[in-house]
Structures are given as structure tokens and as C-alpha cells.
Amino acid sequence: MSSHSSAPSSASASPGGTAQPDLGRLAIDKTGWQSPRRTPRRRWLWLLAVVVLAGGAVGARLLFPAVREVRLAVVARVYPTQAMTALVSSGYVTAQRKASVASKVTSRLEWLGVEEGSRVTAGQVLARLESDDARAALDRARANERVARSDIDRAAAELTDARRNHAR
């Protein structure tokens, strides 16, 4: 026989000869353990703290608003002639001499080469008029002239023929 003590062992022999653990001894020790319960008083304290912090943040925002610096700037479109202006005055200017420019024909203005008040030289082209109507009138007059010349030639030929017939 074996000389084992009679102390309880944690494994028992199985019929096949292998040791099996004793599951009866396994247990959870619940001594000294308490469930974490929150009391209603603690909840109210946390809620009060959150409300006080939020109120303080809103109050600080209202009492000390964020100050933003505003810079004003004037924006203006400046032309080169305005940049060199030394004197600005109001009034009116009259010309020393006035010249009237007129056309012999009635027509539309096609191109204007000068502006009011600009200096001009003798022989300078000031404007161009549409020439379509004038050109058509000229062509019509030249055609009428050709018809009249041919009428004169025909009349002269008839006169010559009439004189020959009269002389016989």
C-alpha cells in the first residue's frame, strides 16, 4: 500500500488512472465586495455641478463678449489723370473761336475722328459720313447723263438724216 496521508486532495482518480480536478471546491469569494450603487443624492450633486459650469460659461460669454477689431478702408478707382491732379475747380470754359462744320449732303455719321474741344489742323479729316446713299445718287446721275448723251447722239443722227431727206 502507499503511504499517502489522508488529507483531502484536489484531484481524484478516474477509472482510467488520470487525475480529475475537484470542481466542488471552486467558488467565488463574495466577502468584502459591494455593488457600485449611486445614491440619488450623488446624482443631484453631479447634475448641479454641470448646470453651474454651463451657466458660468454662458454668463462669462455674455459679460465678456469677444471684441473684434474692425478696420475701415476706402476703396476708390483711380485713373492716371486723377493721380496727377493738382487743382480741382468748378466753373465753365468758353472757346475763343468757334467753327461750324457742316455737310453738303444729308447722311449718317459713320466715323468721328475728334471730340468736342480738341485741336484740329487744316485739312484734317474730322468725320466720315455714310456714302451709300450719295454713291447711289452719283451712280444714278451718271446713268442719267449717259442716257441723255445717247439721246443727244440719236437726235443728232435723226437731224442729219432729216436734212439729207429734205435735200433730195
Side-chain angles (χ1 to χ4, degrees), residues 56-75:
V58 170
R61 183 75 171 160
L62 292 175
L63 289 176
F64 307 107
V67 178
R68 294 187 179 160
E69 182 180 337
V70 177
R71 294 185 207 170
L72 299 178
V74 177
V75 177

Side-chain angles (χ1 to χ4, degrees), residues 39-49:
T39 61
R41 182 184 234 181
R42 272 184 122 181
R43 285 184 192 159
W44 281 110
L45 285 176
W46 279 107
L47 182 62
L48 181 65

Side-chain angles (χ1 to χ4, degrees), residues 117-137:
S118 56
R119 293 181 184 259
V120 294
T121 59
Q124 179 182 351
V125 177
L126 304 179
R128 283 193 200 115
L129 301 177
E130 282 185 348
S131 59
D132 296 341
D133 294 338
R135 194 172 310 277

Side-chain angles (χ1 to χ4, degrees), residues 93-163:
V93 177
T94 58
Q96 292 178 352
R97 289 183 278 161
K98 289 187 178 183
S100 296
V101 178
S103 172
K104 293 181 182 179
V105 295
T106 304
S107 182
R108 279 190 169 163
L109 185 64
E110 185 177 89
W111 174 78
L112 182 63
V114 294
E115 292 182 12
E116 185 178 337
S118 56
R119 293 181 184 259
V120 294
T121 59
Q124 179 182 351
V125 177
L126 304 179
R128 283 193 200 115
L129 301 177
E130 282 185 348
S131 59
D132 296 341
D133 294 338
R135 194 172 310 277
L138 178 64
D139 291 342
R140 193 170 38 251
R142 285 183 179 160
N144 289 340
E145 178 191 16
R146 284 192 298 271
V147 169
R149 288 193 190 273
S150 66
D151 285 346
I152 291 172
D153 290 344
R154 186 177 45 83
E158 286 179 5
L159 178 63
T160 305
D161 192 35
R163 284 187 183 159

Side-chain angles (χ1 to χ4, degrees), residues 5-10 25:
S5 68
S6 63
S9 69
S10 63
R25 292 189 63 200

